[in-house]
């Protein structure tokens, strides 16, 4: 096993550190000739989605006075609105109008702070209206779709 060697000086003390290969999250390390097995912390798995580039978000519509127009859909009794848990951009939808969903199903992907976040519906039902579009910027608690 070939070790990479590094020389360090910390507070006037010299250290020779040799680092080996990583096997099953463990690394063989030697510090000034003393061997150690170092267990690396496992990184959480990240979801990678390859999709078509999203157009830049459209600006929110405004009144003549410049205030944003925020539409609030009317929701029938027994329906609920899926809302954005944080501000972001709609990347994709995994359902369409007419689809039946179960509680906990992923209904869309929202990009926020350069991370893709699966948005789940808390209730089972049928998708009756999709309010937002792919590429739309939605605010926190912004309406995404209606489930009946």
């Amino acid at each position: 096993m070939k070790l990479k060697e590094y020389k360090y000086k910390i507070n006037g003390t010299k250290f020779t550190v040799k680092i080996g290969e990583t096997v099953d999250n463990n690394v063989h390390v030697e510090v000034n000739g003393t061997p150690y097995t170092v267990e690396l912390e496992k990184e959480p798995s990240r979801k990678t989605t390859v999709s078509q580039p999203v157009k830049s978000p459209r600006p929110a519509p405004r009144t003549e006075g410049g205030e944003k127009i925020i539409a609030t859909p009317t929701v029938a009794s027994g329906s609920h609105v899926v809302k954005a848990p944080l501000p972001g951009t709609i990347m994709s939808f995994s359902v369409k109008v007419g689809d039946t969903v179960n509680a906990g199903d992923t209904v869309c992907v929202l990009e926020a702070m350069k991370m893709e976040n699966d948005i789940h519906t808390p209730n089972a039902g049928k998708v009756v209206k999709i309010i937002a579009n792919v590429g739309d910027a939605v605010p926190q608690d912004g309406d995404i779709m209606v489930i009946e």
Side-chain angles (χ1 to χ4, degrees):
M1 168 171 59
K2 182 164 171 88
L3 302 176
K4 290 184 182 179
E5 183 174 304
Y6 301 90
K7 296 188 184 248
Y8 298 99
K9 191 174 194 180
I10 303 173
N11 293 331
T13 305
K14 292 182 181 181
F15 293 92
T16 300
V17 179
K18 295 179 182 178
I19 302 174
E21 295 179 18
T22 303
V23 178
D24 295 329
N25 252 22
N26 292 309
V27 180
H28 175 75
V29 177
E30 287 183 17
V31 180
N32 291 343
T34 304
Y36 298 94
T37 299
V38 178
E39 183 178 346
L40 301 175
E41 200 172 289
K42 291 187 180 185
E43 290 186 29
S45 62
R46 292 186 171 178
K47 178 180 177 182
T48 303
T49 303
V50 177
S51 61
Q52 294 180 3
V54 176
K55 298 175 188 171
S56 58
R58 292 180 281 180
R62 297 183 181 267
T63 65
E64 288 180 18
E67 296 86 24
K68 290 182 181 179
I69 299 172
I70 300 176
T72 305
T74 55
V75 179
S77 176
S79 299
H80 77 277
V81 177
V82 176
K83 295 184 175 283
L86 66 167
T89 302
I90 301 290
M91 299 295 293
S92 65
F93 286 97
S94 52
V95 296
K96 60 187 180 306
V97 173
D99 286 355
T100 301
V101 294
N102 295 313
D105 283 356
T106 299
V107 292
C108 71
V109 176
L110 178 77
E111 179 189 33
M113 298 178 283
K114 300 192 184 216
M115 297 278 301
E116 291 184 358
N117 301 279
D118 290 340
I119 306 301
H120 306 279
T121 177
N123 301 67
K126 182 178 176 183
V127 178
V128 294
K129 184 175 184 181
I130 296 180
I131 300 163
N133 297 301
V134 171
D136 282 357
V138 292
Q140 182 171 354
D141 294 324
D143 299 335
I144 297 174
M145 69 179 57
V146 179
I147 308 283
E148 194 170 79

